[in-house]
Amino acid sequence: MSSDDHLKETDTEARFEFKKEQKSAFQSEKGLTEETIRLISEDKDEPEWMLERRLRALRQFQEMPMPTDWPGQPDLSEVDVDEIVPYIRPDIDTRGGEESWEDLPEEIRDTFEKLGIPEAERNALSGVGAQYESEIVYQNMQERWQEKGVIFCDMDKAVQEHEELVKEYFMTKCVPPSDNKFAALHGAVWSGGSFVYVPEDVTVEMPVQAYFRMNSEGMGQFEHTLIIAEENSEMHYIEGCSAPKYGRFNLHSGGVEVFVKEGAHVQYSTVQNWSKNTYNLNTKRAICEKDATMEWVSGSMGSKATMLYPCTILKGPGATDNHITIAFAGEDQNIDTGAKVYHNAPNTKSTIESKSISKDGGRTNYRGLVHIADGAEHSSTSVECDALMFDNESTSDTMPYMEIEESKVDVAHEATVGKIGDEDVFYLQSRGLDDDDAKQMIVAGFIEPITEELPIEYAVELNRLIELEMEGSLG
């Protein structure tokens, strides 16, 4: 049997829910102290300026209150940073990641083989980065893109080898630590993640992917992704995330910064499948110059609570932003997602399409902000929110905020909330489907606008994950 056939026959639930015995080369103590920050920076052999930024972010984190006053926000009372292990370096020989899967320790290699990452790399990707716990363990880029000047490496390596670029862009212009408490936390303890640089006029025709896996109980993962797309370049970045279920909570607080220069086009796709003991609290933002295009495609499920609102600042005239999101909430889950767009220049355009599904008492919420500044004339925005509920115990809310300071603009908003209709299910049953298959088909049609934006391998995976959530199989 080929590896591709084996992958297709592997049960999706088993691919995400397995656990490995923890083996680490270095592990910090629980909690967040200046000593911990210095130990992380020393273990990475970072330049002094990065340590200074970490310590400044720590002070900002300590001064900021926990967000508790947002209407209907997820309960974060269980999130105690003093109980989190912020840094675990896996036990591999090469810092910055191996270039061959065969060079990885067996237990780490087996993890990513179960997740299908090596197979995806062979079939559909220009490059792959794989993070295990706090650091990248594998990194590779097709030679033809390297020859065109494309850089795809882990962030720790970028700090050492592309220092001036990182120093200029890292948490200075896009996501400063002062943005919110969890951005400050991220700035203090970030580790791993991806650095992508696409030169002017280069189109990377196949996606690059990074996969982030939390294996250890009670840890925090804080990867940072920094993408710089120069003028008239184009690329698609795919992010996958997962973790097995444990009795104690885990924390994921990643950071994403995307710089889309004049005429460039970046698509950032995320399929997140965290376990139901994980709090997923991210900060993601893009800045678009003149005639640039940014696309966010996000699928979020599995976590106990999610607060995720990718943001785009349309800085240059003619810039465009598209958001497509899907959220799934089951029992004891509160998935709070949305989008933020700032129209700061004329003739800018944004569209936001949100799909949410809730069952067994779960809660989904669209929380979004569209701001059109004075002078951003002839700009337009369209927001569409659709929610699907399985039962009377589940809830779905929509909280759109519109701040319009310019009169010469087009603004549209539409929201619908509905339940799976008995008539629809009955019709499909009359065509030979049972109750579960009928509901799954309805949901598949509901989320099709999302899945059609993903490469086929990831669209199939997302559909299968939704099916497992509907069955209550993923923990």
Side-chain angles (χ1 to χ4, degrees), residues 201 229-234 260-266 288-293 317-319:
D201 295 324
E230 296 286 9
E231 292 185 11
N232 300 311
S233 64
E234 186 170 347
V260 194
K261 301 299 181 68
E262 183 175 341
H265 185 158
V266 174
C288 287
E289 305 289 349
K290 180 182 177 182
D291 296 326
T293 299

Side-chain angles (χ1 to χ4, degrees), residues 236-420:
H236 182 187
Y237 181 90
I238 299 176
E239 171 189 81
C241 313
S242 68
K245 183 179 180 180
Y246 288 103
R248 294 165 54 201
F249 81 93
N250 282 21
L251 174 62
H252 177 252
S253 185
V256 174
E257 300 181 285
V258 185
F259 295 87
V260 194
K261 301 299 181 68
E262 183 175 341
H265 185 158
V266 174
Q267 179 172 332
Y268 194 108
S269 301
T270 303
V271 179
Q272 297 187 338
N273 178 41
W274 299 111
S275 60
K276 291 184 173 65
N277 62 296
T278 300
Y279 286 83
N280 183 29
L281 311 170
N282 290 340
T283 305
K284 299 183 175 185
R285 188 167 298 152
I287 298 177
C288 287
E289 305 289 349
K290 180 182 177 182
D291 296 326
T293 299
M294 181 68 202
E295 295 185 78
W296 301 95
V297 180
S298 305
S300 184
M301 65 201 74
S303 62
K304 182 178 181 67
T306 287
M307 297 177 73
L308 176 60
Y309 322 99
C311 172
T312 299
I313 300 171
L314 299 174
K315 181 180 178 182
T320 299
D321 175 67
N322 298 313
H323 280 79
I324 302 177
T325 68
I326 180 170
F328 190 105
E331 183 179 4
D332 296 326
Q333 290 180 285
N334 191 336
I335 309 300
D336 201 287
T337 60
K340 293 191 286 187
V341 186
Y342 292 86
H343 293 253
N344 291 345
N347 300 300
T348 50
K349 180 181 179 181
S350 67
T351 61
I352 300 172
E353 184 175 5
S354 172
K355 301 276 189 177
S356 64
I357 305 163
S358 54
K359 68 184 288 283
D360 298 332
R363 177 182 182 268
T364 59
N365 180 44
Y366 168 81
R367 191 186 304 269
L369 168 66
V370 175
H371 175 91
I372 302 182
D374 183 22
E377 58 184 14
H378 307 303
S379 294
S380 64
T381 185
S382 174
V383 181
E384 182 179 345
C385 305
D386 298 321
L388 188 63
M389 294 184 293
F390 273 69
D391 47 61
N392 293 328
E393 291 73 35
S394 301
T395 57
S396 180
D397 297 312
T398 302
M399 299 180 181
Y401 297 88
M402 300 281 191
E403 298 175 350
I404 312 299
E405 299 175 352
E406 170 62 49
S407 59
K408 297 178 181 179
V409 295
D410 291 325
V411 177
H413 175 259
E414 178 182 347
T416 62
V417 178
K419 294 180 181 178
I420 290 183

